[in-house]
Amino acid sequence: MLVERSTKTKESLKMPADTRDKILQAAFTRLSSQGYENTSIKEIAEEAGVAQGLVHYYFKSKQQLVLAVLMDVCAKLEIYGPELGEAGALAAFENFKSVLRTRRDAHNLYVELIGVGLHDREVGTGIRDDIRRHRGEVEDIARQVLAQREVDPGPARAIASVVWGAILGIIVQSLVDEDFNSDEAVDALAAMALSAVYPGTQSA
Amino acid sequence: MLVERSTKTKESLKMPADTRDKILQAAFTRLSSQGYENTSIKEIAEEAGVAQGLVHYYFKSKQQLVLAVLMDVCAKLEIYGPELGEAGALAAFENFKSVLRTRRDAHNLYVELIGVGLHDREVGTGIRDDIRRHRGEVEDIARQVLAQREVDPGPARAIASVVWGAILGIIVQSLVDEDFNSDEAVDALAAMALSAVYPGTQSA
Amino acid sequence: MLVERSTKTKESLKMPADTRDKILQAAFTRLSSQGYENTSIKEIAEEAGVAQGLVHYYFKSKQQLVLAVLMDVCAKLEIYGPELGEAGALAAFENFKSVLRTRRDAHNLYVELIGVGLHDREVGTGIRDDIRRHRGEVEDIARQVLAQREVDPGPARAIASVVWGAILGIIVQSLVDEDFNSDEAVDALAAMALSAVYPGTQSA
Amino acid sequence: MLVERSTKTKESLKMPADTRDKILQAAFTRLSSQGYENTSIKEIAEEAGVAQGLVHYYFKSKQQLVLAVLMDVCAKLEIYGPELGEAGALAAFENFKSVLRTRRDAHNLYVELIGVGLHDREVGTGIRDDIRRHRGEVEDIARQVLAQREVDPGPARAIASVVWGAILGIIVQSLVDEDFNSDEAVDALAAMALSAVYPGTQSA
DNA sequence: TATGAATGAGATTTCATTCAT
DNA sequence: AATGAATGAAATCTCATTCAT
């Protein structure tokens, strides 16, 4: 929606969206590298090159600002492509491996905000909805695969819970432990997810 | 309350450990329910029923106190029993299902401290070591199962990365989303983990 | 000065006086209900439905705006009618009883501005002049009554000080204390004022 | 209660009450001379010679501090002596005349806090209770006088409303208008109050 | 060991005012 | 006349930490 405003061809106009974006960018930069509580509004304003008060002009509170940043981040974590079924799943896992390397900053912020969300209603809701959305997407893929294999689609939800959980857990491990071999882990997850589709049917 | 200390049943010395524990307990209570940054030393002291200054007598800083609490929490998250091999794995998964319900407070704190650890060297190290230890234990079990089945134990580490990751991810989802069906998820994880042991060999 | 502008031929032009008045009205509404320091220019602008900057276009500063509002309010506190002498006094007291009910908002603002005026030169001057004017009007009536009764008009000023003081004090009590019986108080004041005219002559 | 602590003969003890009092004194000084909104916690701390944070250590908020100061001020406004009946009334009026000169600072603060109290629940309650108390005391005196004169004590409350109202109004006028002759006003009030006791009986 | 007063830095937030358009 | 983005100062409040007793 912000984009619409910047698509105005007349570049001479005051473009408040630019300022808002500058602040959002600055907030993301600082928050992802320093953490939620170690980042002050003052620092964000400095990073953005604007007066401190302006941050509150665009975002009512620090919480609201963080929430806006979170929404941006969530979008950046998308790992699914256009392909469907098993091919789509494999492509997504492949993509995830590279995202794990290129989006460390976003992951950093995301994981920290999970923690923040545990004690902050609004952030918590944002995180929860994002997790639900992602899990839902994984469930769709699982359902497609199960359909391809012509077996009971029942366990799709449970499988999605595990797969998305493992994705979260792999993200955490790769952030926390510099020695963690994330490629190996993602490959194993892919194998387990795709092979386990059958047995899951019986046990769930 | 202070009087208890005068029950110097053992050596004539005062027993500071009592006080220290009281503070640790209080810190855990408050931290797990309110979060790291929403909990002040003053509140912890009040919860423990001691003077504010005493907290700094036992713990050099808030960070050190949190670190000490973290160690306690890590111990509480143990899910493995004495059994070995596949039976041990199944028992651990069973146990995990109940721990998910009974240790919400510990999980809350743990997950938040993962976030804190991303920007705090000391907490980060504590978390990382704990995660490595857990993953190592899972790896041991995986190795036992693979041995039982007389197949290549090579993928044990990768499997452990996925399984422990999924455990973390399931913890997060159960904390964040009140509608999350964690039993279903753990059952699916158990099925995937135990059935997928074979295919993992080829793909990793 | 407002009048001059509105003497523009009539309705064909945009009527800035309208805007100015809108702002004044909005300021009165907010100030009287929220208080001086709890009301921001931004709120007043919103209440008036104009841009924030426009408030400063019409009023150099918040102080000036408040001063303008004060003038309006003062006019609204008039309690004297056209009648003279004792009849005029009685009518004024009667009128005061109903004003106490219908102008609570104006009284609210007035009383608060008395407080503000104690530490703000300009507001203080406005309040002082208004009080002097009111007291002068009371003094006129007192003088008429004393003349009617053919006694020394000397104590008129002192009586006015008391009567106007009591009016202020009754306003305050009726604002501050929801259980205050203002009718009873005003009746007593009327009785005391009119009966005391004689004895006052001796003691003052 | 604070006094008790300072009555400890051992003057070597840390006397927190001293610090609290220092802050209260400083707050009164600044508030009465600069006004509620023009006085910052920082200034009060400086006036008291303590760190800013200490003010919040003793008083949870600025509001609470002001409330505490208000209580002190209310005590200082007492104008009644030990005498009873008409003599007591006359003495109180006499006393009031000098208090008007000597307690300008307290009156300043009191009047401003009436204004503040209109939009601040807690301050408002404090003011209301104080006004009720004072009015009650005046009512007692009025009742004594009426009893002395053996007439109906019914109008005592109404008379008190007027007399205390006039006292408030005279305070305001003497603060706001440097030319106001307060002695003259108080004398007139005394005369009106004492002479009007009779007619009031009939009219109220 | 234990207390709690005292410190001082820093964080969020509010707001009157200015200014370019 | 009108807009609303932008500024910068200041205010309240919180808090980890220190220190004298």
Side-chain angles (χ1 to χ4, degrees), chain D residues 12-67:
Chain D
S12 65
L13 287 181
K14 254 286 178 62
M15 288 193 291
D18 272 4
T19 304
R20 217 189 103 107
D21 273 359
K22 243 188 338 190
I23 294 172
L24 271 176
Q25 275 302 327
F28 173 73
T29 303
R30 290 291 198 168
L31 287 169
S32 61
S33 71
Q34 304 179 344
Y36 180 65
E37 301 290 345
N38 302 318
T39 304
S40 68
I41 300 271
K42 191 182 167 200
E43 280 173 315
I44 292 173
E46 276 162 7
E47 176 85 30
V50 300
Q52 205 179 147
L54 198 58
V55 176
H56 283 91
Y57 180 79
Y58 283 106
F59 304 93
K60 209 182 60 190
S61 67
K62 188 182 179 182
Q63 229 181 82
Q64 293 302 314
L65 169 56
V66 170
L67 222 48

Side-chain angles (χ1 to χ4, degrees), chain A residues 143-163:
Chain A
R143 212 172 296 278
Q144 290 166 21
V145 173
L146 292 169
Q148 276 182 321
R149 299 184 180 174
E150 301 181 341
V151 297
D152 176 21
R157 193 180 72 178
I159 290 170
S161 298
V162 173
V163 171

Side-chain angles (χ1 to χ4, degrees), chain C residues 158-178:
Chain C
I159 290 171
S161 298
V162 172
V163 171
W164 184 249
I167 287 175
L168 277 180
I170 287 170
I171 288 174
V172 167
Q173 290 177 86
S174 75
L175 287 177
V176 158
D177 186 348
E178 64 269 28

Side-chain angles (χ1 to χ4, degrees), chain B residues 23-167:
Chain B
I23 294 172
L24 270 177
Q25 275 301 328
F28 172 73
T29 303
R30 290 292 199 167
L31 287 169
S32 61
S33 71
Q34 305 179 344
Y36 179 64
E37 300 290 342
N38 302 320
T39 303
S40 66
I41 297 276
K42 194 182 166 197
E43 277 173 316
I44 292 172
E46 275 163 8
E47 177 86 30
V50 302
Q52 203 183 153
L54 202 56
V55 176
H56 279 85
Y57 178 80
Y58 284 106
F59 304 93
K60 205 185 67 191
S61 68
K62 189 181 179 183
Q63 225 183 77
Q64 293 304 314
L65 170 56
V66 170
L67 223 47
V69 173
L70 174 61
M71 294 314 162
D72 271 15
V73 169
C74 290
K76 288 181 186 163
L77 291 185
E78 225 53 69
I79 60 175
Y80 319 103
E83 292 147 287
L84 296 178
E86 203 162 327
L90 285 170
F93 283 123
E94 236 13 76
N95 185 27
F96 179 44
K97 284 200 283 188
S98 78
V99 166
L100 272 175
R101 284 187 213 92
T102 56
R103 298 279 190 212
R104 273 186 85 88
D105 49 0
H107 288 157
N108 244 303
L109 183 52
Y110 191 77
V111 170
E112 198 195 355
L113 290 187
I114 289 175
V116 171
L118 295 177
H119 307 288
D120 178 310
R121 185 67 55 90
E122 282 182 291
V123 173
T125 303
I127 289 284
R128 186 200 59 194
D129 292 345
D130 187 64
I131 284 185
R132 281 183 180 169
R133 185 170 56 79
H134 281 295
R135 196 170 54 219
E137 289 170 333
V138 174
E139 191 176 332
D140 285 344
I141 296 184
R143 213 172 296 277
Q144 290 165 21
V145 173
L146 292 170
Q148 274 181 323
R149 299 184 181 173
E150 299 180 344
V151 297
D152 176 20
R157 193 179 71 177
I159 290 170
S161 297
V162 172
V163 172
W164 183 248
I167 286 175

Side-chain angles (χ1 to χ4, degrees), chain A:
Chain A
M1 49 187 138
L2 291 178
V3 184
E4 294 175 29
R5 253 192 279 185
S6 59
T7 52
K8 286 186 177 174
T9 17
K10 321 198 176 188
E11 71 290 342
S12 66
L13 287 181
K14 254 287 177 63
M15 288 193 292
D18 273 4
T19 304
R20 216 189 105 105
D21 273 358
K22 243 188 339 189
I23 294 172
L24 271 177
Q25 275 302 328
F28 173 73
T29 303
R30 290 292 199 168
L31 286 169
S32 61
S33 70
Q34 305 179 346
Y36 180 64
E37 301 289 346
N38 302 318
T39 304
S40 68
I41 300 272
K42 192 182 166 199
E43 280 173 316
I44 292 173
E46 275 162 8
E47 176 85 30
V50 301
Q52 204 180 147
L54 198 58
V55 176
H56 282 89
Y57 180 78
Y58 284 105
F59 304 93
K60 209 183 60 190
S61 66
K62 187 182 179 183
Q63 226 181 81
Q64 293 301 314
L65 170 55
V66 170
L67 222 48
V69 173
L70 174 61
M71 294 312 162
D72 272 16
V73 169
C74 290
K76 289 181 186 162
L77 292 186
E78 222 56 66
I79 59 174
Y80 318 104
E83 293 147 286
L84 296 178
E86 203 165 326
L90 284 170
F93 282 123
E94 225 30 61
N95 186 26
F96 179 44
K97 285 199 282 188
S98 78
V99 166
L100 272 175
R101 281 185 217 95
T102 56
R103 297 281 190 211
R104 274 186 83 88
D105 48 0
H107 289 157
N108 244 303
L109 183 51
Y110 191 78
V111 169
E112 197 195 356
L113 290 186
I114 289 175
V116 171
L118 294 178
H119 306 287
D120 178 311
R121 186 65 58 90
E122 282 182 289
V123 172
T125 302
I127 289 285
R128 186 199 59 192
D129 292 345
D130 186 64
I131 285 183
R132 280 182 181 171
R133 186 170 55 79
H134 281 296
R135 195 170 55 220
E137 289 171 331
V138 174
E139 191 177 333
D140 284 344
I141 296 184
R143 212 172 296 278
Q144 290 166 21
V145 173
L146 292 169
Q148 276 182 321
R149 299 184 180 174
E150 301 181 341
V151 297
D152 176 21
R157 193 180 72 178
I159 290 170
S161 298
V162 173
V163 171
W164 183 250
I167 287 175
L168 278 179
I170 286 170
I171 287 174
V172 168
Q173 290 176 86
S174 76
L175 288 177
V176 158
D177 186 347
E178 64 269 27
D179 294 340
F180 184 74
N181 187 334
S182 55
D183 279 357
E184 180 189 78
V186 176
D187 285 335
L189 172 60
M192 287 170 68
L194 290 171
S195 78
V197 167
Y198 304 109
T201 1
Q202 286 115 34
S203 74

Side-chain angles (χ1 to χ4, degrees), chain C residues 6-141:
Chain C
S6 59
T7 52
K8 282 184 182 177
T9 26
K10 288 193 182 175
E11 71 289 345
S12 66
L13 291 179
K14 274 202 191 157
M15 291 203 291
D18 274 2
T19 303
R20 215 190 107 106
D21 270 0
K22 250 190 325 193
I23 294 172
L24 269 177
Q25 276 300 327
F28 172 74
T29 302
R30 291 291 200 169
L31 287 169
S32 62
S33 71
Q34 304 179 345
Y36 180 63
E37 300 290 343
N38 302 319
T39 303
S40 67
I41 298 276
K42 193 182 167 199
E43 277 174 318
I44 292 172
E46 275 163 9
E47 176 86 31
V50 300
Q52 203 182 154
L54 202 57
V55 176
H56 278 87
Y57 179 79
Y58 284 106
F59 304 93
K60 204 185 66 191
S61 67
K62 189 182 179 183
Q63 223 184 78
Q64 294 303 312
L65 170 56
V66 170
L67 222 48
V69 173
L70 174 60
M71 295 312 162
D72 271 15
V73 169
C74 290
K76 288 181 186 162
L77 292 186
E78 223 54 68
I79 60 175
Y80 319 104
E83 291 149 287
L84 296 178
E86 203 163 326
L90 284 169
F93 283 123
E94 230 23 67
N95 185 27
F96 178 45
K97 285 200 282 189
S98 77
V99 167
L100 273 175
R101 283 187 214 91
T102 55
R103 297 279 190 214
R104 274 187 83 88
D105 49 0
H107 290 157
N108 244 302
L109 184 51
Y110 190 78
V111 169
E112 197 194 357
L113 290 186
I114 289 175
V116 171
L118 294 177
H119 307 288
D120 178 311
R121 185 66 56 92
E122 282 181 289
V123 172
T125 302
I127 289 284
R128 187 200 58 193
D129 292 346
D130 187 64
I131 285 184
R132 281 182 180 170
R133 184 171 56 79
H134 281 295
R135 195 170 55 220
E137 289 170 331
V138 175
E139 191 176 332
D140 284 344
I141 296 184

